[in-house]
């Protein structure tokens, strides 16, 4: 199987993708696709969106040369794509502004969304506040506990946060509950899906809105280095920042695309969320892709220190990038991610999200092996304020209040 | 005549749903046997799934309960085999797609034929994706039951044209579960379907009282009841399974008299 953008028509990425959803939602996703195809080429929509991205989200994000990290690791140059500096503190805002504006144009008055770490929920609540949309967020009970700060943030922004207690009470269950809510109220509600997953057209829409990361980064690196990077690296849960970081480099065959999955306590244990490493092809949440599942095809509970990567599946375009061998997917353990989190704080003075720390952890392994004449870009998908308390706890400091 | 078609030859059909292994496999066997004896014309057996996105709270809980007790696909097959030994009532499986895909679609449908299963409902496999299983369903004489929703509009034609067994008309938007009233203009949808096919149209989602059943039966070929039955089973626990007999008889009478 070769990666070929042409073979990705009709919501398929090779054998992956599709629309495996109840009939009750089919009409809505078909309309969504039609509306999206109209607005994506609509001048006034794009003018409005670009205005928001620039003056509200703060784009373009910086491509920062991490000189101390570079000299410390002693290999190729390290650049960080600073999505953490966006308004609301992560790459999630890129997709959220696009979809919220789209929802408004097509006459929806309410948006609902799932969230894991809370980054997507915060971004959605933010865009809803700005654009005057009603907003409800669904978040697993476990994540509500792990990410109490983000829960309050969403409430400050005027959103209602629903704690989801079904199943494993994490991200996958939040997705289930948001789908259930959507099917009850499609007439006025848009499901503002946060990752490159779910039924077509979501993986395409989210990828398009996130691809601004690599369209900027590609131009920035060519401007700074006059050459393409050796590799681009990003963390992968559902895979939205990774697809955003990869997309405009896919046709640059020399550029390695590296996705970092959450290995939790290790891929040889039951406590991980490394879908490519430990999952099999299946059908879930509207898409055919790789999923962590048991012998009977039941979706398995997954684990990662990072609530944002704690998902048993991966977006279908990533599944295809993997199957066609265009991208590489590696696993990073909790312990490695925490080390990288602390390393980046001490070395560059940047506290990044624990999700992004998975990408930093792999960069720390790769950089020393690559010639000084080369460069790599790591997508710093989010900032780490939300993680400070849980990292402190991980290190045995239980007395930190948030 | 196929077993499912046969079920509609005697008039309006009452279709009952249970989740396999809820509260235990033995009790499922007892309930299914009693439901069949009480006059249900078709029985839908739900294969428990970890993430039943189309289900409301009642059936979600039944799924979780069965999975916690370790109910696996093979146990559902064994249960079916036991049920088949003492009743010819048409059996329809309701399963999410991943357990089927994971088992191997071809092999899955062969097993269904061997077990004497008559039909299958896969709620997360809409018309557009059904080509993946249709050849295997046809080959093994298993009816792939199509769903039509209040929002199906333009899609009714192609879904109805390809329907077999019965059409599962979803009464209202949302997930499964009991509702006080059903406001969808079901007559209009039924007449749209009638223009295209003679395949029986049965209505499900939200129906739990005999009044609702009687109303729905007037405009359709059958009534599907899931959450209300699962709820009786849930509340009854390991108690007297005869309660289900009373309920099924009441509902069957209501639709027959309508």
């Amino acid at each position: 199987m070769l990666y070929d953008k042409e073979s990705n028509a009709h919501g398929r990425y090779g054998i992956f993708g599709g629309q495996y959803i109840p009939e009750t939602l089919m009409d809505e996703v078909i309309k969504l696709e039609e509306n999206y195809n109209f607005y994506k080429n609509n001048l006034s929509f794009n003018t409005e969106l670009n205005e928001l991205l620039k003056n509200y989200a703060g784009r373009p994000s910086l491509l920062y040369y991490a000189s101390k990290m570079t000299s410390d690791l002693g290999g190729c140059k390290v650049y960080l794509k600073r999505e953490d500096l966006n308004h609301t503190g992560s790459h999630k805002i890129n997709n959220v502004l696009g979809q919220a504006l789209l929802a408004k144009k097509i006459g929806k008055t309410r948006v609902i969304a799932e969230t894991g770490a809370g980054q997507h929920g915060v971004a959605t609540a933010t865009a809803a506040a700005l654009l005057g949309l009603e907003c409800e967020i669904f978040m697993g009970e476990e994540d509500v506990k792990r990410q109490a700060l983000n829960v309050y943030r969403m409430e400050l922004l005027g959103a209602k946060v629903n704690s989801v207690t079904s199943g494993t009470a994490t991200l996958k269950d939040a997705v289930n509950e948001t789908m259930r809510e959507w099917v009850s109220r499609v007439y006025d509600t848009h499901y503002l899906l946060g990752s490159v997953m779910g039924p077509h057209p979501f993986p395409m829409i989210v990828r398009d809105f996130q691809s601004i990361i690599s369209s900027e980064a590609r131009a920035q690196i060519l401007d700074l280095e006059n050459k393409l990077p050796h590799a681009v690296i990003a963390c992968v849960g559902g895979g939205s920042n990774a697809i955003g970081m990869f997309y405009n480099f896919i046709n640059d065959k020399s550029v390695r695309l590296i996705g970092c999955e959450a290995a939790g306590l290790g891929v040889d244990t039951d406590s991980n969320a490394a879908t490519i490493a430990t999952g099999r092809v299946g059908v879930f949440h509207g898409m055919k892709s790789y999923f962590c599942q048991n012998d009977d095809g039941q979706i398995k509970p997954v684990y990662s220190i990072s609530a944002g990567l704690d998902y048993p599946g991966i977006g279908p375009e990533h599944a295809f990038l993997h199957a066609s061998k265009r991208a590489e997917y590696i696993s990073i353990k909790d312990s490695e991610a925490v080390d990288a989190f602390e390393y980046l704080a001490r070395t560059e003075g940047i506290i990044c999200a624990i999700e992004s720390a998975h990408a930093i952890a792999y960069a720390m392994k790769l950089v020393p092996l690559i010639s000084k004449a080369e460069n790599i870009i790591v997508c710093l998908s989010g900032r780490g304020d939300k993680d400070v308390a849980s990292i402190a706890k991980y290190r045995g400091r239980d007395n930190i209040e948030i | 005549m196929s077993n499912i078609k046969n079920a509609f030859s005697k008039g309006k059909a009452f279709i009952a749903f249970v989740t396999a292994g809820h509260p235990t496999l033995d009790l499922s066997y007892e309930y299914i046997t009693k439901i069949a004896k009480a006059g249900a014309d078709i029985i839908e057996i739900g294969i428990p799934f970890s993430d039943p996105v189309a289900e409301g709270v009642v059936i979600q809980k039944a799924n979780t309960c069965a999975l916690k007790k370790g109910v696996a696909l093979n146990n559902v097959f064994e249960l079916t085999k036991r049920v088949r030994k003492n009743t010819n009532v048409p059996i329809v499986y309701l399963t999410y797609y991943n357990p089927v895909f994971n088992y191997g679609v071809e092999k899955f449908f062969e097993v269904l034929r061997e077990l004497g299963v008559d039909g299958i409902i896969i709620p997360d496999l809409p018309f557009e994706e059904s080509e993946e299983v249709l050849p295997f369903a046809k080959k093994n004489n298993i009816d792939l039951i199509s769903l039509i929703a209040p929002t199906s509009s333009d899609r009714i034609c192609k879904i109805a044209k390809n329907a077999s067994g019965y059409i599962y008309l979803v009464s209202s938007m949302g997930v499964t579960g009991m509702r006080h009233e059903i406001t969808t203009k079901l007559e209009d949808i039924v007449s749209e379907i009638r223009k295209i096919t003679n395949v029986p149209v049965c209505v499900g989602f939200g129906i739990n009282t005999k009044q609702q059943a009687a109303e729905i039966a007037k405009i359709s070929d059958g009534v599907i009841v899931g959450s209300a039955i699962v709820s009786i089973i849930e509340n009854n626990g390991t108690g007297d399974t005869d309660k289900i007999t009373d309920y099924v008889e009441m509902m069957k009478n209501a639709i027959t008299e309508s």
Side-chain angles (χ1 to χ4, degrees):
Chain A
M1 227 183 330
L2 267 177
Y3 189 91
D4 170 8
K5 285 183 182 171
E6 291 302 304
S7 69
N8 293 350
H10 310 298
R12 286 280 172 185
Y13 307 89
I15 65 161
F16 304 103
Q19 290 179 310
Y20 299 87
I21 49 166
E23 174 60 26
T24 32
L25 283 175
M26 280 305 291
D27 180 61
E28 190 63 19
V29 296
I30 290 167
K31 279 188 195 146
L32 177 62
E33 182 181 6
E34 287 167 3
N35 279 313
Y36 174 69
N37 284 335
F38 172 79
Y39 281 107
K40 77 171 179 189
N41 299 314
N42 178 274
L43 185 64
S44 79
F45 177 84
N46 283 302
T47 308
E48 215 173 320
L49 178 58
N50 289 334
E51 175 72 15
L52 285 171
L53 289 169
K54 184 175 171 226
N55 292 319
Y56 188 67
R59 300 208 72 88
S61 69
L62 299 174
L63 186 69
Y64 166 74
Y65 172 50
S67 62
K68 276 188 76 194
M69 193 174 160
T70 300
S71 63
D72 181 64
L73 294 172
C76 67
K77 285 182 168 178
V78 181
Y79 283 89
L80 305 177
K81 182 62 175 162
R82 298 292 306 274
E83 294 298 306
D84 59 319
L85 296 179
N86 296 337
H87 179 43
T88 74
S90 82
H91 71 290
K92 293 291 186 188
I93 196 77
N94 305 330
N95 164 52
V96 161
L97 287 173
Q99 278 197 58
L101 195 59
L102 180 66
K104 203 169 171 176
K105 295 280 177 201
I106 62 185
K108 304 287 185 184
T109 55
R110 179 173 175 259
V111 289
I112 53 173
E114 84 293 344
T115 197
Q119 298 296 82
H120 177 58
V122 167
T124 303
T126 299
L130 179 71
L131 297 175
L133 297 161
E134 196 188 326
C135 177
E136 268 190 55
I137 303 296
F138 294 82
M139 188 170 187
E141 191 183 29
E142 283 302 310
D143 296 333
V144 166
K145 280 185 221 151
R146 283 194 279 192
Q147 302 288 348
L149 185 63
N150 271 343
V151 173
Y152 190 61
R153 216 172 248 155
M154 289 182 262
E155 288 169 354
L156 275 177
L157 292 158
K160 182 181 172 204
V161 181
N162 299 286
S163 174
V164 176
T165 54
S166 59
T168 54
T170 58
L171 184 52
K172 89 170 163 72
D173 309 282
V175 174
N176 293 346
E177 222 41 56
T178 319
M179 280 188 175
R180 289 181 185 125
E181 173 65 20
W182 197 33
V183 77
S184 311
R185 251 182 101 168
V186 284
Y187 58 93
D188 71 344
T189 299
H190 174 68
Y191 180 1
L192 210 163
L193 226 159
S195 194
V196 284
M197 46 152 294
H200 177 66
F202 285 107
M204 170 181 81
I205 292 177
V206 180
R207 176 254 277 152
D208 288 355
F209 287 139
Q210 290 296 359
S211 67
I212 193 167
I213 300 174
S214 52
S215 71
E216 286 175 5
R218 195 175 182 281
Q220 287 165 323
I221 197 76
L222 287 174
D223 188 41
L224 289 162
E225 291 288 330
N226 204 24
K227 69 188 288 190
L228 288 166
H230 168 82
V232 296
I233 306 176
C235 64
V236 185
S240 70
N241 93 86
I243 214 77
M245 188 71 241
F246 292 175
Y247 193 64
N248 290 287
F249 291 107
I250 287 172
N251 288 337
D252 299 320
K253 302 289 182 210
S254 68
V255 179
R256 290 171 65 189
L257 313 174
I258 304 172
C260 305
E261 298 191 304
L265 302 183
V267 290
D268 49 350
T269 73
D270 265 345
S271 300
N272 71 74
T275 311
I276 295 283
T278 65
R280 293 194 312 279
V281 178
V283 176
F284 182 51
H285 280 165
M287 58 181 169
K288 187 173 282 176
S289 189
Y290 293 91
F291 296 98
C292 299
Q293 51 186 313
N294 74 9
D295 292 343
D296 234 22
Q298 306 289 348
I299 304 304
K300 263 184 151 169
V302 288
Y303 163 79
S304 161
I305 190 172
S306 144
L309 304 180
D310 204 352
Y311 182 69
I314 187 168
E317 193 161 7
H318 283 295
F320 188 47
L321 285 166
H322 166 72
S324 60
K325 298 190 164 59
R326 176 62 189 94
E328 305 157 53
Y329 295 85
I330 56 92
S331 324
I332 295 293
K333 288 197 274 196
D334 281 0
S335 55
E336 297 172 302
V338 172
D339 287 347
F341 177 91
E342 292 167 340
Y343 175 83
L344 193 70
R346 282 196 309 267
T347 314
E348 291 290 344
I350 298 170
I351 296 175
C352 72
I354 190 65
E355 288 79 17
S356 321
H358 286 71
I360 295 292
Y362 189 66
M364 288 163 68
K365 295 183 190 181
L366 181 68
V367 168
L369 311 175
I370 309 295
S371 134
K372 286 187 171 162
E374 305 277 344
N375 68 77
I376 61 153
I377 304 174
V378 182
C379 187
L380 218 59
S381 56
R383 70 174 181 229
D385 316 36
K386 67 181 178 61
D387 298 308
V388 169
S390 66
I391 301 299
K393 198 172 169 199
Y394 183 88
R395 290 300 189 208
R397 292 270 300 272
D398 276 333
N399 56 346
I400 307 230
E401 288 281 327
I402 52 161
Chain B
M1 201 184 289
S2 87
N3 209 10
I4 288 180
K5 221 179 222 172
N6 205 20
F8 292 92
S9 63
K10 298 162 279 180
K12 313 264 172 178
F14 179 70
I15 304 177
F17 170 92
V18 294
T19 299
H22 168 246
T24 66
L25 284 160
D26 282 342
L27 281 166
S28 286
Y29 169 76
E30 243 182 78
Y31 278 115
I32 292 168
T33 310
K34 289 197 174 168
I35 289 168
K37 269 197 192 138
D41 300 286
I42 295 171
I43 296 179
E44 294 178 357
I45 298 179
I47 297 176
F49 186 53
S50 52
D51 297 85
V53 290
E55 314 299 345
V57 180
V58 171
I59 298 177
Q60 278 179 48
K61 272 191 182 160
N63 277 265
T64 311
C65 159
L67 289 175
K68 267 195 186 144
K69 296 207 165 124
V71 173
L73 204 45
N74 279 329
N75 301 123
V76 182
F77 294 157
E78 284 158 22
L79 170 69
T80 311
K81 206 183 270 176
R82 274 178 82 189
V83 169
R84 260 290 160 263
K85 276 186 187 152
N86 63 16
T87 172
N88 283 323
V89 69
I91 292 174
V92 173
Y93 273 175
L94 186 143
T95 176
Y96 287 81
Y97 187 38
N98 199 51
V100 181
F101 181 84
N102 178 66
Y103 192 83
V105 177
E106 185 168 9
K107 201 168 96 189
F108 189 87
F109 278 90
E110 280 167 12
V111 171
L112 263 54
R113 189 197 58 214
E114 284 162 20
L115 289 168
V117 172
D118 303 282
I120 186 167
I121 304 167
I122 310 177
D124 56 349
L125 195 76
F127 177 78
E128 279 75 0
E129 308 291 358
S130 61
E131 207 40 53
E132 282 185 37
V133 308
L134 211 47
F136 305 106
K138 280 185 178 155
K139 192 177 155 199
N140 292 290
N141 276 325
I142 312 284
D143 288 318
L144 180 65
I145 310 296
S146 311
L147 287 100
I148 287 180
T151 46
S152 293
S153 51
D154 302 349
R155 302 165 49 74
I156 291 176
C157 182
K158 60 180 172 189
I159 297 172
K161 213 177 264 175
N162 292 279
S164 73
Y166 55 92
I167 287 169
Y168 193 133
L169 175 55
V170 177
S171 76
S172 15
M173 295 303 286
V175 293
T176 58
M178 295 169 268
R179 288 163 169 78
H180 291 301
E181 55 173 0
I182 289 158
T183 53
T184 310
K185 288 195 172 137
L186 294 167
E187 298 94 319
D188 298 353
I189 304 176
V190 173
S191 71
E192 277 296 302
I193 299 170
R194 289 271 186 265
K195 285 182 201 157
I196 296 146
T197 180
N198 289 322
V199 171
V201 181
C202 302
V203 181
F205 275 45
I207 303 164
N208 61 101
T209 66
K210 61 179 180 184
Q211 290 80 4
Q212 283 175 322
E215 286 298 310
I216 297 283
K218 277 182 201 154
I219 55 153
S220 67
D221 301 300
V223 170
I224 306 165
V225 175
S227 295
I229 288 176
V230 173
S231 180
I232 291 172
I233 295 174
E234 172 72 26
N235 294 333
N236 209 27
T238 51
D240 180 11
T241 51
D242 281 337
K243 276 190 187 158
I244 209 71
T245 306
D246 300 342
Y247 181 76
V248 172
E249 280 174 354
M250 174 189 82
M251 294 298 270
K252 175 70 184 167
N253 285 338
I255 66 166
T256 312
E257 286 158 12
S258 75

